[in-house]
Amino acid sequence: MRKGLVAAGLFGLVGVLAACRGGSGSVSSKPPSKPAAPPATPAATVKTASSSLGTILVDANGKTLYAFMPDTATMSACSGSCAMLWPPLTVTGMPVAGTGVTASMLSTITDANGTQVVYGGHPLYTFMNDTAAGQTNGQGFANGLWHVVSPSGQIVTASAPATTPTTSPGSGSGSSGGGGGYGY
């Protein structure tokens, strides 16, 4: 099982690095007016939740919201295959400010992803490998290009602590075979 998780993590890392490098240099056979991202929700709610990284932004389902460092307040640099791994938080109309969120910091941009929610100048995304509310598996992903966002609109650059340290008898040596973490 661990080898499968490491392989999946490596596959995901290679995919995101390939997908999130270029932005404007990619070629697509699809018309640019059709978003590659999942359909927008009528009312996307952004709220806060407590996590091991402090209080962070989450969507209506409690899934962690991330910012991509190459983005600007007016442009998303993650679309196409990148947006498949990092689904943008999209909306029809205006996003809703939930508990702990400052409504005036919410806005939207419209680009290849559709109408994407922006908070404090950061277009927001979820991470496909966060399968349950409260997970922060994308924190620091791809050599620090992805980070959670605080309610003040600041990027949180702290590392996510390991959630389940794994040790076994005899794995205490410095070899690469034991211990927790992502393994890459």
Side-chain angles (χ1 to χ4, degrees):
M1 170 116 173
R2 179 165 165 77
K3 286 183 181 181
L5 290 174
V6 171
L10 287 174
F11 177 74
L13 179 60
V14 169
V16 79
L17 290 175
C20 297
R21 286 203 182 227
S24 64
S26 63
V27 177
S28 173
S29 61
K30 293 182 184 178
S33 61
K34 295 197 178 200
T41 56
T45 299
V46 177
K47 58 185 183 175
T48 61
S50 182
S51 79
S52 59
L53 298 166
T55 302
I56 60 171
L57 299 182
V58 297
D59 69 6
N61 298 317
K63 295 275 189 92
T64 301
L65 294 171
Y66 296 90
F68 184 43
M69 299 311 292
D71 284 352
T72 68
T74 59
M75 185 197 78
S76 167
C78 177
S79 61
S81 57
C82 176
M84 291 171 68
L85 185 60
W86 296 90
L89 181 63
T90 56
V91 66
T92 302
M94 286 302 293
V96 175
T99 306
V101 170
T102 305
S104 63
M105 294 181 75
L106 281 169
S107 62
T108 61
I109 57 172
T110 302
D111 59 16
N113 294 323
T115 302
Q116 186 171 357
V117 178
V118 175
Y119 189 80
H122 304 290
L124 299 175
Y125 306 82
T126 57
F127 182 42
M128 192 167 107
N129 290 343
D130 283 348
T131 57
Q135 292 180 331
T136 57
N137 295 320
Q139 178 66 1
F141 197 82
N143 292 320
L145 292 179
W146 294 93
H147 295 287
V148 300
V149 182
S150 74
S152 67
Q154 297 297 310
I155 298 294
V156 177
T157 58
S159 296
T163 54
T164 348
T166 56
T167 57
S168 60
S171 68
S173 70
S175 70
S176 62
Y182 293 106
Y184 45 73

